[in-house]
Amino acid sequence: MKKLRTIAVALFVATATIASAQNKKIDVAKSKIEWVGKKVTGQHNGVVDFKGGTLIFKGKKLTGGSFVVDMTSINATDLQGEYQGKLNGHLKADDFFGTEKYPTSKLVFKKLVDKGNGTYVVTADLTIKDVTAPVTFELKVNGSTATTSFKIDRTKYGIKYGSGSFFDNLGDKTINDEFDLTVTIQF
C-alpha cells in the first residue's frame, strides 16, 4: 500500500510539473522577421525566415524561449530583378552573413523581467556566424502572438563591411553598424 501511495504522489508531482511549464512551438509559416539596414545614402529592407523556435510559459507567464533563423532565406524586399539578386548575394556572402558556412543564427533567452500587461524585458544570447553576444529587448505577448522591435550591432558578430567604425574614407558608402529588426511570432 505504501508503494502504491508513493507511485500516486510521484505521478501527481510529474503531472503538476508538466502542466506548469508549457513549451509552445512557433508557427514558422505565420511568424516573420523584417529587417532594415541603413547607409548614408538610404536604406534597404527585407525579410528573413524562422527555421524553428519555442516559447516557454508557466501558466500565462513567459519564462523562456529560443529560436533558430534560416539565414539562407535573407531577402531584400525593396528591390527587384538584378539589383535584388546582387544585394541578396552580397548579404549571403562572407563579408556579411556567410550563409554557406553559417546557414542559421540562434537566439536563446537568458533572463526575463516581467513588466506587467504581457510585456517582458528579455536579455538573450544571439549567435550570428558562430559569434555569441547578448542583446536586450522588450517583448509584448498578446494571446498567441509576441512582438518586438530592436537593433543589432552587426560589428559585434564580425560583420564589418562598410562600417565607418572600422574603415576610413568610406564617404557615402558607409553602412550603419546597427540594423533594425521587427519580429512577429505566432504560436
Side-chain angles (χ1 to χ4, degrees), residues 16 45 52 122 125 161 164 166:
N45 56 280
V122 178
D125 282 345
Y161 180 87
F166 293 91

Side-chain angles (χ1 to χ4, degrees), residues 113-125:
V113 176
D114 187 347
K115 291 182 66 177
N117 295 323
T119 301
Y120 300 86
V121 176
V122 178
T123 301
D125 282 345

Side-chain angles (χ1 to χ4, degrees), residues 33-74:
I33 305 168
E34 298 172 288
W35 57 263
V36 176
K38 298 177 182 176
K39 55 186 181 173
V40 172
T41 58
Q43 68 181 39
H44 291 293
N45 56 280
V47 295
V48 62
D49 296 333
F50 282 104
K51 190 168 188 166
T54 304
L55 289 172
I56 302 167
F57 289 86
K58 216 175 225 184
K60 293 188 181 242
K61 184 176 178 176
L62 181 65
T63 60
S66 64
F67 306 97
V68 177
V69 176
D70 178 6
M71 295 305 296
T72 66
S73 71
I74 195 162

Side-chain angles (χ1 to χ4, degrees), residues 112-170:
L112 286 96
V113 176
D114 187 347
K115 291 182 66 177
N117 295 323
T119 301
Y120 300 86
V121 176
V122 178
T123 301
D125 282 345
L126 175 62
T127 303
I128 300 173
K129 294 179 80 170
D130 279 346
V131 176
T132 302
V135 293
T136 300
F137 54 90
E138 278 195 10
L139 183 72
K140 176 75 175 167
V141 178
N142 187 4
S144 60
T145 303
T147 56
T148 186
S149 293
F150 62 102
K151 294 181 182 300
I152 295 175
D153 182 344
R154 64 188 173 93
T155 63
K156 290 182 178 180
Y157 306 93
I159 305 168
K160 299 176 183 174
Y161 180 87
S163 170
S165 299
F166 293 91
F167 302 101
D168 294 329
N169 302 320
L170 292 172

Side-chain angles (χ1 to χ4, degrees), residues 13-41:
V13 170
T15 303
T17 302
I18 290 169
S20 66
Q22 298 173 316
N23 291 351
K24 297 189 178 185
K25 289 189 182 278
I26 68 166
D27 184 335
V28 295
K30 292 181 180 176
S31 300
K32 65 181 177 177
I33 305 168
E34 298 172 288
W35 57 263
V36 176
K38 298 177 182 176
K39 55 186 181 173
V40 172
T41 58

